[in-house]
Amino acid sequence: MPKTTSEIRPRRLLEQSMVAQEIADCEQEMLALEKAMIDLKYKRMSLDTKMNTVSDPMAMLPLDVTTEIFAIVNDSQDRTDFSSLPALFLLGRICKTWRNIVWNRPFLWKDIAIRLSYNKYAKQERLLEEWLNRSGACQLYYNIASHRHWEPPESFATLILKTASRWKSFKCISPLTSLFDEIASHTFPALSTIELDFGNWNNDFNINAPRLRKIQILSHWPVLEIYDNWQQLTKVSLKLPIDHVLNLIQHLDQVQALFLESTGLTEVTSLQPIVPKELLHLSHLKITGRNKWASRILTAVTVPALSNLELHFTKMPATNTLWMDGVENLLRRSSFSLATLNLQNINLKEELGLDFLKSFVTLSSLSLRHQSHGLSDLTINRLNPNANGRSTECLLPALTHLDYSGRINFKAKTLTTMLEQRLAVSQTNPLIKALRVVDITYLNASWAQTGDLANPNRVQAFYRDISDLASHGTVLKVMWDENSRL
């Protein structure tokens, strides 16, 4: 006979009560386990701390050595990688002892790298304020960006400008209007380096920094109005129209390194001739731009102390040799002793290149990148003091480093023979230097496929020669650029 509802209900209520009790007991056990896990985590942290204090090498390191290691780790972090966690936070995670060391060393907090974001700004401002407090009275090195050029509230400018007296270096890659509007009303007595890298900027801006020595502006600013005392700068890096470049050069007296990138559509022929500015202290000159602009800048200066020259053409010149004429005239006018020459995107026939290079007898490092006409036995033999078994005039006798990228069509044996001969002659002739580093990246895959290295026996001999050269202190690398379409 089936049971009635009145008979089933009490039994179900009893079963529900029993299951509910089991659930409650399970939750209690879970809470107990969670508490045990928390206790174990703290115990593990305590044991890690104890292990660091009793284990070699940590137990043997004095506090100042440990601190110095932390400083090296911190300084090695890439400040342009805003997505990575600060090294100080990673070190502080290890154990209480390490955290106490990091938290209480103000000089470890001197670098501030931050990319401002609308969604994270409230937390960022709190962390920044705590970071600045931990830095004590140390000089500060700022690297600031803003996600999608978001403009932070004025409280950001107020916060970091409280430390204006401690700014040592300031880099900004976003146009933060509120910040730059306020900078003009402050003095930065310790600031030595400023870098600004973003698009066009039309706002009035001037910085009062009596110790400023290095300035980099890769934006189309009216640069002369940014700073009043260009005469005291020692390193200048600018991206400007050619007419602005020529005007700026007249204001540089103490500059030692000058990096210029010319932009715009100004025709060189429309520029008035000027008397070359004598830059007595300039040792490093880098010009990026078109051939005609580089030539115009080279005619605008005299540089007796120049040792490093870089010409990077943004558009490969045809057969125009204006830049070569500019360099040769600069050499005659300045009588400098060049040690390093770096040329990129050149279109130079090999014979012309050899005539051009023979003037630089003091050159120790040569870099030719993306040379269109190629490198053949002709040049390799000119670098050989005993080419064809007889003593010859050696091209670039002081050369020790060669970096080349472009087409090649020399024989592998010609290259290794030249390097062997320079090694041998350098032992008896102090005027001839051995080439110690040769790095060749070739663009034409056919060189290794159809040339003398198509023979497996010659490939083996070539690598045997490379090994022998390495044992005598000469490093030879020959690699194909797999991205080349030649």
Side-chain angles (χ1 to χ4, degrees), residues 31-207:
L31 290 173
L33 288 173
E34 288 178 2
K35 183 178 183 303
M37 283 297 297
I38 293 173
D39 291 341
L40 287 172
K41 286 181 179 179
Y42 278 107
K43 183 176 180 180
R44 174 59 186 269
M45 291 173 62
S46 177
L47 290 173
D48 286 342
T49 300
K50 186 175 182 180
M51 179 62 74
N52 284 335
T53 60
V54 299
S55 300
D56 293 331
M58 294 305 298
M60 301 175 62
L61 290 178
L63 179 60
D64 59 336
V65 175
T66 303
T67 303
E68 183 63 25
I69 292 174
F70 288 176
I72 293 173
V73 171
N74 186 44
D75 290 342
S76 65
Q77 186 169 28
D78 182 5
R79 305 296 175 194
T80 63
D81 183 7
F82 296 105
S83 61
S84 63
L85 198 65
L88 299 181
F89 290 179
L90 297 174
L91 292 170
R93 280 181 171 181
I94 303 301
C95 63
K96 184 177 179 181
T97 299
W98 283 24
R99 187 159 53 252
N100 286 338
I101 294 174
V102 170
W103 260 229
N104 294 288
R105 298 298 182 278
F107 70 90
L108 293 176
W109 301 83
K110 68 184 187 314
D111 296 292
I112 298 103
I114 183 171
R115 181 170 57 194
L116 304 171
S117 169
Y118 171 78
N119 295 328
K120 301 177 181 178
Y121 182 72
K123 181 183 292 186
Q124 287 179 324
E125 186 171 304
R126 290 195 300 271
L127 286 173
L128 178 58
E129 185 171 12
E130 182 179 350
W131 191 292
L132 292 174
N133 288 336
R134 292 192 183 280
S135 68
C138 292
Q139 293 182 332
L140 301 174
Y141 298 76
Y142 281 99
N143 184 8
I144 300 173
S146 177
H147 181 60
R148 295 182 178 177
H149 293 324
W150 173 69
E151 184 69 36
E154 293 183 1
S155 58
F156 172 72
T158 302
L159 178 59
I160 69 169
L161 287 172
K162 288 180 181 178
T163 64
S165 62
R166 298 196 283 133
W167 286 24
K168 182 66 174 177
S169 173
F170 177 73
K171 178 178 180 179
C172 186
I173 59 176
S174 299
L176 306 179
T177 303
S178 60
L179 175 60
F180 288 108
D181 285 347
E182 292 296 323
I183 280 180
S185 61
H186 289 72
T187 300
F188 302 86
L191 186 64
S192 64
T193 302
I194 185 168
E195 299 181 31
L196 306 175
D197 184 5
F198 43 86
N200 292 337
W201 181 264
N202 297 318
N203 294 33
D204 292 334
F205 167 65
N206 183 272
I207 188 164

Side-chain angles (χ1 to χ4, degrees), residues 8-24:
I8 295 174
R9 182 177 293 277
R11 183 173 179 179
R12 286 184 174 177
L13 290 174
L14 178 61
E15 290 176 347
Q16 289 176 358
S17 176
M18 293 174 64
V19 173
Q21 183 60 49
E22 289 181 4
I23 292 174

